[in-house]
Amino acid sequence: MKKVINNPENVVNEMVEGFIAAFGNDYKKVQDTNGVIIKNKPKRVAVVTGGGSGHEPLFIGMVGEGLADGAAIGNVFAAPTPNTVLEVTKELDSGQGVLYVYGNYSGDVLNFDMAAELAELEDITTKTVLVNDDVASATKENAFDRRGIAGDIFAIKIAGAAANDNLTLEEVARITQKAADHTRSIGVALSPSSIPSTGKYTFEIADDEIELGMGIHGEPGVKRTKLQTADELTANMLDYIFDDIELQENDEVCVLVNGLGSTTLMELFIVNRKVAKILSEKGISIYDTDVNSYCTTLEMAGVSITLMKLDDELKKYYNKPANSPYYFKKGRG
């Protein structure tokens, strides 16, 4: 496989250096770590996200106005170290506390929890919202064990808006938890990703096969089938979400059709066309739609679909403006 890299061991450091070289007017690197924060954060609750590299623009690209204030970056498909999370936390805390928002993976949970304990020793209060939106990764009864995928985008968007309203840490955490609880996703993989340090693919799949429900690190899905048409695939994916979250006629949702790395925007729009048609047939209103590649897994081909069910409170914060180099929402409402 061919990649535009130097030493495979330096891909994360050099990625962060390149980000700061591009956007250093508004962002800075936390000294001696792979942490990135915004400059001149207002004195309020801070929102910190993070996770392994290889999912760009998540997490680094979700740092911005009305979004996360900082991101702790780990190696490829590996959690950020507790020290990285702690240093980002210390840089951003202004006395009102810090909310951690990230996907539910054991390594991330372990290291963020360790950082929270270390932060407590520094008299910094933290709270955590785990995003576990992937309906394919555990049963509804065991939803707490589900991993996170593109639902991070909605959770971080809501968290950043709530923090910007100068709410308390408890309130920012409560509203962000509601966003996570109202969000469901499912993905499908058509081809594997690869890890730069090994030069190997993360799994094998035949050219005429797809795996429904596969995770962003190549975790097993729920079904491996022959390649389907975009309409068939979209309908099958939405069925998993509809079976998991109660959606009724006249409910409102936000839609995210997310590419996993090498899927073209043309394909994503074709999927979104069918999503819109199915939701319309069910009488479910689409409040807003985003079609982009936010939560990727290196060059994996595939797509995920995410729905966030809105209520008045979530809509209020979703309507707030947000801006980063890789995510933009104009304020509305």
Side-chain angles (χ1 to χ4, degrees):
M1 62 193 67
K2 301 175 183 176
K3 287 187 178 295
V4 184
I5 61 174
N6 297 306
N7 185 333
E9 301 300 323
N10 295 335
V11 293
V12 177
N13 293 340
E14 293 180 356
M15 174 190 71
V16 173
E17 289 177 9
F19 181 89
I20 296 299
F23 306 112
N25 288 337
D26 300 310
Y27 297 84
K28 66 178 182 180
K29 181 179 182 294
V30 179
Q31 188 173 8
D32 298 328
T33 74
N34 280 324
V36 171
I37 64 173
I38 58 172
K39 292 181 176 177
N40 305 317
K41 182 190 82 64
K43 189 176 180 180
R44 55 159 173 72
V45 169
V47 177
V48 172
T49 188
S53 297
H55 307 301
E56 290 71 35
L58 190 68
F59 298 90
I60 198 169
M62 288 301 288
V63 178
E65 180 185 354
L67 299 165
D69 300 297
I73 309 299
N75 288 326
V76 174
F77 296 167
T81 67
N83 183 63
T84 300
V85 179
L86 176 64
E87 293 304 316
V88 171
T89 301
K90 288 164 62 177
E91 285 273 351
L92 291 171
D93 179 60
S94 55
Q96 283 83 4
V98 178
L99 179 67
Y100 295 151
V101 185
Y102 57 93
N104 185 27
Y105 294 92
S106 57
D108 294 301
V109 173
L110 177 66
N111 289 359
F112 269 90
D113 282 354
M114 290 178 64
E117 292 176 4
L118 296 170
E120 187 176 356
L121 297 176
E122 305 267 356
D123 292 326
I124 300 173
T125 303
T126 66
K127 284 188 173 294
T128 296
V129 172
L130 291 177
V131 182
N132 51 354
D133 53 309
D134 187 353
V135 299
S137 55
T139 64
K140 191 173 183 178
E141 292 72 26
N142 297 301
F144 184 80
D145 292 330
R146 287 174 175 169
R147 59 197 173 223
I149 45 175
D152 281 333
I153 305 301
F154 286 144
I156 294 168
K157 167 72 184 72
I158 296 297
N164 262 350
D165 255 13
N166 290 312
L167 301 181
T168 64
L169 178 60
E170 288 73 17
E171 275 293 281
V172 176
R174 180 190 65 78
I175 295 164
T176 305
Q177 184 65 61
K178 179 193 279 190
D181 292 342
H182 283 221
T183 299
R184 300 290 189 280
S185 301
I186 188 168
V188 63
L190 281 65
S191 72
S193 58
S194 65
I195 299 178
S197 62
T198 65
K200 295 181 179 178
Y201 292 111
T202 50
F203 60 91
E204 294 182 354
I205 189 168
D207 288 343
D208 63 345
E209 288 182 331
I210 60 173
E211 183 148 339
L212 191 64
M214 176 162 278
I216 55 175
H217 307 112
E219 297 95 337
V222 292
K223 186 187 297 182
R224 184 168 290 202
T225 72
K226 296 296 183 184
L227 186 62
Q228 303 170 8
T229 67
D231 283 359
E232 292 170 338
L233 183 58
T234 303
N236 288 335
M237 293 170 73
L238 283 177
D239 281 345
Y240 280 91
I241 294 178
F242 292 145
D243 286 343
D244 201 86
I245 188 169
E246 185 177 348
L247 286 171
Q248 299 176 343
E249 191 171 355
N250 298 321
D251 280 345
E252 285 185 302
V253 297
C254 291
V255 175
L256 170 60
V257 176
N258 172 70
L260 294 179
S262 67
T263 303
T264 65
L265 196 54
M266 178 182 72
E267 294 166 278
L268 300 183
F269 281 130
I270 291 171
V271 170
N272 185 60
R273 161 192 160 275
K274 185 63 174 178
V275 171
K277 183 176 181 181
I278 291 173
L279 290 175
S280 176
E281 290 170 350
K282 289 181 173 293
I284 299 167
S285 297
I286 299 175
Y287 186 71
D288 193 33
T289 296
D290 210 335
V291 180
N292 212 327
S293 294
Y294 292 121
C295 179
T296 67
T297 178
L298 294 171
E299 72 275 28
M300 180 187 284
V303 59
S304 64
I305 299 171
T306 300
L307 302 183
M308 179 173 70
K309 181 180 177 180
L310 291 176
D311 64 8
D312 289 342
E313 185 176 48
L314 289 177
K315 185 186 293 186
K316 171 186 172 182
Y317 292 106
Y318 188 83
N319 283 341
K320 303 286 186 181
N323 185 29
S324 83
Y326 297 96
Y327 186 92
F328 173 78
K329 284 292 176 186
K330 186 178 180 180
R332 59 187 286 194

